[in-house]
Amino acid sequence: MSVSVEKLEKNMAKLTVEVEAAEFEKCIQKAYQDMKNRVSIPGFRKGKAPRNLIEKMYGPEIFYDNATRYAINGNYPQAAEESGLDIVSRPQIEVTNIGKDENFVFTALVAVKPVVKLGKYEGLEITGHDTTVTESDVQAEIDRQLNINSRTVEVTDRPVQDKDTAVIDFEGFSDGAAFPGGKGENHSLVIGSHSFIDNFEEQLIGHSVGEEIDVNVTFPAEYHAPELAGKPATFKVKINAIKAKDIPELNDEYVSDISEFETVDEYREGIKKELTEKKKKEAESIYEEEAVKQAVEASEMEIPDPMIEYQIDGMIDDFATRLSMQGMSIDQYFTMSGVNEERLREQMRDQALASIRGSLVLEAIAAEQKFEITDAEIDEEIYETVNSYYMGADASKIKENMSGKELNRIKEDVSKRKAMKYLVEKAKITKEKKTAKKKEEE
């Protein structure tokens, strides 16, 4: 295999990869082994026809699609590494030469990590944030904890109310016909969450367990499925169960059961201390975000579109994973929310771009400041990462099995955090302007 690189405008590059004919022949043979059981040749049982006979009857091109996949998957990773480029997108592949006993040639259009021209990043002016904890803050946190420690109970003596969780089966129909993605079973729907289209949830209020009802809605005019956009639909819904929260009473007994404190007064004081610490950390996060934002605005870089799309791909994958943990597929989400993939990608675009720019600027600052990253810092990062996913896992053993590329990624994360800390340390924190609401609270 050989690879040549052509650098293009706007941080794009084209790799031309040439795979020797003998190597591509192995890919064709592998494709033949995969496909021979699916090819019918008179006089032969499936899987027994020789390759040359199949090629004579159907043409050698019959194996090219699979052989191409093997050749690209087997050679692109090495070609990308040999190119010396810092590739930040999925490759756009184009086959430029293919044939029996010929070298296989393909190109890969890729985005390359942009070079950042840093502007001012020391002495940035950042607005301070009040970390005072009020009594209303304490009460709100207590109410939240009461809600968390509540029991979920099944309700059988009343119909659905706002804030209840209705466990439902549903199937959607438009013009009398069921439509794809509009069916679900035993789905837990929180009334008032507005996770389903139109006024679907409100129509369940007042109905009891075992009832089968028709819920009439209208799809949004910009719905992702053109055949449903702007049209009325009916969902056949059965209420399987109603669940509600039984909120406990705030008293000394409750406090001693769920905390280290014995009395409500001690509990309130403890909550106040926790909130004070939390507000301080939130203020630090706000300072970091503002510092990075200003450093980005002062810097120059050109972000290629494929890099942004690649970032959005990862964000959508994460979103789909979170949905699946709630028992909903992303296709069901699209159907019930009225948001299509194109619109979701557009909604994520600004966040993706901001994330990319911030990361690049922090990398550039870390490189310019030449921060030293110790083995202890890398070990701590691995430990924190591992334990966030697998409690009690042996971080040292995981480190032993990490590739050089994975360790470099860990090192980059540590250096970017150091750059973030450096920005805040060098910034000027100005006094927060008090709003009329804050003055009133005082």
Side-chain angles (χ1 to χ4, degrees), residues 160 164-168 187-191 204 239-243:
V160 175
D164 283 347
T165 296
V167 182
I168 61 172
H187 179 79
S188 295
L189 177 63
V190 178
I191 308 303
L204 301 184
I239 301 176
N240 297 326
I242 301 170
K243 296 181 180 181

Side-chain angles (χ1 to χ4, degrees), residues 80 105 163 180 192 201 380 385:
V105 184
K163 306 302 182 185
E201 296 161 25
E380 184 180 354
T385 302

Side-chain angles (χ1 to χ4, degrees), residues 3-14:
V3 56
S4 61
V5 178
E6 179 186 357
K7 292 189 177 180
L8 307 174
E9 295 180 342
K10 298 182 178 179
N11 293 308
M12 298 294 292
K14 183 167 73 172

Side-chain angles (χ1 to χ4, degrees), residues 132-339:
T132 303
V133 174
T134 66
E135 284 306 311
S136 62
D137 292 332
V138 173
Q139 187 58 51
E141 177 61 17
I142 289 174
D143 290 342
R144 190 182 74 85
Q145 292 291 342
L146 285 168
N147 190 60
I148 290 173
N149 289 295
S150 63
R151 293 184 306 124
T152 298
V153 296
E154 286 206 23
V155 177
T156 57
D157 59 349
R158 65 167 176 78
V160 175
Q161 296 179 357
D162 190 28
K163 306 302 182 185
D164 283 347
T165 296
V167 182
I168 61 172
D169 296 339
F170 61 87
E171 185 170 15
F173 297 83
S174 181
D175 294 330
F179 51 82
K183 185 176 182 179
E185 294 183 353
N186 287 321
H187 179 79
S188 295
L189 177 63
V190 178
I191 308 303
S193 64
H194 304 294
S195 55
F196 277 19
I197 59 171
D198 202 10
N199 59 345
F200 184 106
E201 296 161 25
E202 290 87 337
Q203 294 182 58
L204 301 184
I205 293 175
H207 294 281
S208 302
V209 173
E211 280 194 60
E212 297 183 10
I213 58 176
D214 288 349
V215 173
N216 298 305
V217 297
T218 300
F219 283 98
E222 297 180 356
Y223 194 63
H224 65 88
E227 67 276 12
L228 296 174
K231 294 185 66 174
T234 297
F235 282 85
K236 302 289 185 181
V237 179
K238 180 183 178 183
I239 301 176
N240 297 326
I242 301 170
K243 296 181 180 181
K245 290 184 176 181
D246 182 19
I247 306 295
E249 181 182 351
L250 178 63
N251 52 35
D252 291 348
E253 182 181 1
Y254 163 80
V255 167
S256 62
D257 283 343
I258 60 94
S259 75
E260 59 187 295
F261 305 106
E262 296 298 326
T263 68
V264 173
D265 288 341
E266 291 174 354
Y267 179 57
R268 282 184 177 277
E269 189 60 32
I271 291 290
K272 188 172 184 177
K273 287 180 180 178
E274 287 181 8
L275 288 179
T276 300
E277 186 61 30
K278 181 180 177 183
K279 279 201 170 187
K280 287 179 180 178
K281 289 182 179 179
E282 287 174 349
E284 289 173 4
S285 294
I286 292 170
Y287 298 154
E288 290 173 351
E289 290 176 10
E290 181 60 27
V292 171
K293 181 181 177 182
Q294 289 188 34
V296 166
E297 289 172 350
S299 301
E300 296 179 15
M301 69 200 89
E302 187 173 22
I303 312 298
D305 282 339
M307 185 179 186
I308 302 171
E309 296 304 321
Y310 187 55
Q311 180 79 10
I312 295 172
D313 288 342
M315 293 167 66
I316 287 181
D317 287 344
D318 289 344
F319 181 62
T321 299
R322 292 196 301 273
L323 284 175
S324 68
M325 293 173 68
Q326 300 171 23
M328 178 179 282
S329 71
I330 196 163
D331 287 337
Q332 285 178 318
Y333 169 79
F334 289 147
T335 298
M336 304 311 298
S337 70
V339 176

Side-chain angles (χ1 to χ4, degrees), residues 396-410:
S396 61
K397 288 185 178 180
I398 291 176
K399 182 183 178 182
E400 289 175 4
N401 294 318
M402 279 185 166
S403 66
K405 185 178 289 186
E406 289 171 327
L407 284 172
N408 283 337
R409 192 177 301 118
I410 294 285

Side-chain angles (χ1 to χ4, degrees), residues 28-29 31-58 62-63:
I28 295 177
Q29 182 63 20
Y32 160 68
Q33 294 296 334
D34 286 346
M35 298 174 62
K36 63 182 182 180
N37 290 325
R38 303 195 300 272
V39 179
S40 296
I41 297 290
F44 293 89
R45 286 181 295 142
K46 281 190 176 181
K48 299 300 181 180
R51 175 182 148 189
N52 62 346
L53 193 58
I54 295 174
E55 290 179 332
K56 185 175 181 180
M57 177 167 286
Y58 293 100
I62 188 173
F63 300 122

